[in-house]
Amino acid sequence: MNYHPLTHKCRIYPKDKQIKQFEMTLDACQFLYNELLNQYKVDYKNNNIPYNLINYFKMVIGQAKNNYSSISKLNDSTIDDVLNNVIRAIRLSKDPYKLKAKDEKIRVHSFLLNNTKNIELIGNILHLDKYGKFKLHYGKTIEYNRVISYKVLYQNKKWFILITIRSDNIKPFPKTGKKIGIDLGLKNLVVLSNGQKYDPPNILYSNKKLSKFNRKLSSKSKGSRKYEDIISKQNSEQFHRKNIINDYFHKLSTKIVKENDVIAMESLDIQDMLKDKRYSKNIFQANWHKLVYMIKYKCELYGKIFIQVNTRFPSTKLCSKCGYKYDDITIDVRTWECPKCGEIHDRDVNAAKNILRKALLKN
């Protein structure tokens, strides 16, 4: 039995009354987040650091419920989600005392509701507890065995419902008997060990528009109406570019997983790569981690094998035919001839072949 949580992002068009309810809940979540963080920072400053964060914050939440009616009206699952967000921020921070509270610039934009008897999803109509009824705009009917949770999201001046479902017995992709190694790059996003290459998503037009908006912003007074208008257009274009990338990555990852039974990739250390200032911007925009994540979870979902080799494995320097290690190769060399066996290699295809061979030996 295959089990994997899946999330569907559906557009909704709430009425004014429903928007007001959503905004009140978001404000309450933001207020609770700041209350928990501020109380922790006070104790942290006085060296009264709690050993068990969950128990500590539950005590603080209990006091907040007694003192503030807006927090007492929040759903338990919504409060738990805020709690988890605070704990995650504290654990990821080197100095929790420097964590910033949520404000007008850094707002809470979502809240979580676990599935209960007061929430019902029938076809594309969602009855969401006290918030009322919504039509989901998704393009197809969502098939599920059980809904785990609903998250209301405000993004780019639009409202969405993120529905996380439990899908059991997902039909695996047919076996093809193929094994593939993958090398990720900048010129070619994906290079396969069989010689196939895939370009990055075409976001050139979006990048030009964003550059144009940046130039316009430099000549506007911060806080003016025209400044805010350009910021709004910029956010909309960034949202559009993100959708282009996600759509391309989903189609490419599904194609790779469907066509191959074993998929091998390097485990990338993105933070270390970003230290090279020559390529840091391009590496950051390539979104390699997102593509790796998609391929990995789809392999788990559809019954394929995913193997990662250590990032320190010298896949580029090894000859995939004889195993000779060519230490003198530099980053600008795209093809090279093996001094030992005379084989001429495409740099990226050779690396993908070595990744596959190493993964198979490892497995």
Side-chain angles (χ1 to χ4, degrees):
M1 177 183 289
N2 293 329
Y3 160 67
H4 199 286
L6 298 174
T7 300
H8 299 276
K9 186 177 182 180
C10 310
R11 179 80 185 273
I12 57 172
Y13 296 88
K15 298 175 183 177
D16 291 342
K17 183 179 178 181
Q18 292 170 322
I19 290 175
K20 187 175 181 180
Q21 288 180 299
F22 284 161
E23 289 175 343
M24 288 174 63
T25 302
L26 290 174
D27 287 342
C29 289
Q30 180 161 312
F31 181 77
L32 176 60
Y33 182 96
N34 290 338
E35 278 291 303
L36 298 179
L37 183 60
N38 290 337
Q39 184 60 52
Y40 179 81
K41 287 166 76 172
V42 169
D43 290 334
Y44 183 84
K45 186 178 181 180
N46 296 326
N47 291 322
N48 296 325
I49 302 172
Y51 176 75
N52 189 314
L53 284 177
I54 295 177
N55 291 339
Y56 167 78
F57 280 125
K58 283 188 175 180
M59 181 182 67
V60 178
I61 288 170
Q63 295 172 350
K65 282 183 176 181
N66 293 330
N67 296 333
Y68 306 104
S69 59
S70 60
I71 294 178
S72 64
K73 293 177 182 177
L74 290 176
N75 188 284
D76 287 342
S77 56
T78 304
I79 291 175
D80 287 342
D81 187 50
V82 175
L83 167 62
N84 291 332
N85 290 335
V86 175
I87 292 176
R88 187 182 303 112
I90 290 172
R91 287 176 174 167
L92 290 176
S93 175
K94 293 181 179 178
D95 185 1
Y97 191 70
K98 293 182 179 180
L99 285 172
K100 294 182 179 180
K102 302 290 184 182
D103 55 21
E104 289 300 317
K105 292 183 179 179
I106 310 173
R107 289 192 58 82
V108 170
H109 289 297
S110 66
F111 65 89
L112 184 75
L113 292 168
N114 284 341
N115 191 28
T116 65
K117 62 181 180 181
N118 297 324
I119 302 177
E120 188 176 24
L121 177 61
I122 303 175
N124 66 338
I125 302 298
L126 173 64
H127 297 264
L128 192 63
D129 201 4
K130 63 182 180 181
Y131 302 100
K133 185 170 67 172
F134 302 91
K135 182 178 180 181
L136 305 178
H137 296 262
Y138 186 63
K140 61 181 181 180
T141 302
I142 298 174
E143 297 180 0
Y144 63 93
N145 285 17
R146 182 170 66 86
V147 176
I148 299 172
S149 65
Y150 300 86
K151 178 170 279 193
V152 178
L153 171 68
Y154 184 63
Q155 186 179 53
N156 196 36
K157 297 184 178 181
K158 299 172 184 176
W159 291 96
F160 299 90
I161 296 284
L162 276 62
I163 305 175
T164 301
I165 65 169
R166 172 171 178 152
S167 293
D168 296 294
N169 297 323
I170 293 176
K171 187 176 180 181
F173 285 148
K175 299 296 183 183
T176 63
K178 296 180 181 178
K179 302 173 184 177
I180 207 76
I182 299 176
D183 183 58
L184 300 176
L186 297 175
K187 183 180 179 181
N188 299 113
L189 175 67
V190 169
V191 179
L192 305 183
S193 54
N194 61 10
Q196 284 184 291
K197 297 182 179 182
Y198 296 93
D199 293 330
N202 186 4
I203 53 173
L204 183 62
Y205 181 67
S206 284
N207 286 339
K208 285 183 178 179
K209 288 184 73 174
L210 289 171
S211 297
K212 182 180 177 181
F213 291 140
N214 285 331
R215 289 195 299 271
K216 286 185 175 181
L217 277 177
S218 63
S219 62
K220 307 300 177 187
S221 299
K222 191 172 183 179
S224 66
R225 184 182 61 80
K226 289 186 177 180
Y227 183 91
E228 294 301 327
D229 184 52
I230 294 171
I231 287 290
S232 178
K233 291 179 180 178
Q234 190 179 49
N235 290 339
S236 179
E237 190 57 41
Q238 287 174 339
F239 185 70
H240 176 63
R241 182 177 67 173
K242 184 179 178 181
N243 285 341
I244 292 174
I245 294 171
N246 285 341
D247 179 68
Y248 183 83
F249 279 10
H250 271 297
K251 290 175 179 176
L252 178 57
S253 58
T254 300
K255 175 180 169 63
I256 291 172
V257 172
K258 186 178 286 188
E259 292 178 353
N260 301 281
D261 292 347
V262 178
I263 298 171
M265 302 182 76
E266 280 185 303
S267 54
L268 303 173
D269 187 349
I270 302 295
Q271 293 300 322
D272 189 54
M273 293 179 179
L274 292 176
K275 293 178 182 178
D276 191 334
K277 300 300 180 183
R278 296 174 298 171
Y279 307 103
S280 58
K281 182 179 178 181
N282 291 332
I283 291 172
F284 181 78
Q285 292 183 346
N287 287 292
W288 288 338
H289 65 285
K290 182 179 290 186
L291 182 61
V292 173
Y293 171 75
M294 287 184 181
I295 292 174
K296 183 177 181 179
Y297 90 74
K298 288 180 182 181
C299 282
E300 295 173 356
L301 193 61
Y302 296 110
K304 300 302 181 77
I305 298 173
F306 180 81
I307 307 171
Q308 282 186 294
V309 302
N310 193 290
T311 186
R312 300 189 182 281
F313 174 65
S315 58
T316 304
K317 297 180 179 181
L318 295 176
C319 172
S320 57
K321 185 175 181 180
C322 69
Y324 175 81
K325 188 177 182 181
Y326 185 32
D327 286 313
D328 295 333
I329 190 171
T330 56
I331 197 165
D332 58 311
V333 176
R334 307 316 303 170
T335 59
W336 58 281
E337 182 179 352
C338 176
K340 185 176 180 181
C341 67
E343 184 77 7
I344 297 176
H345 295 294
D346 177 296
R347 176 195 182 99
D348 298 327
V349 175
N350 177 66
K353 289 179 179 178
N354 286 324
I355 289 169
L356 176 61
R357 180 176 289 109
K358 179 68 175 179
L360 295 176
L361 289 174
K362 177 183 175 181
N363 202 42

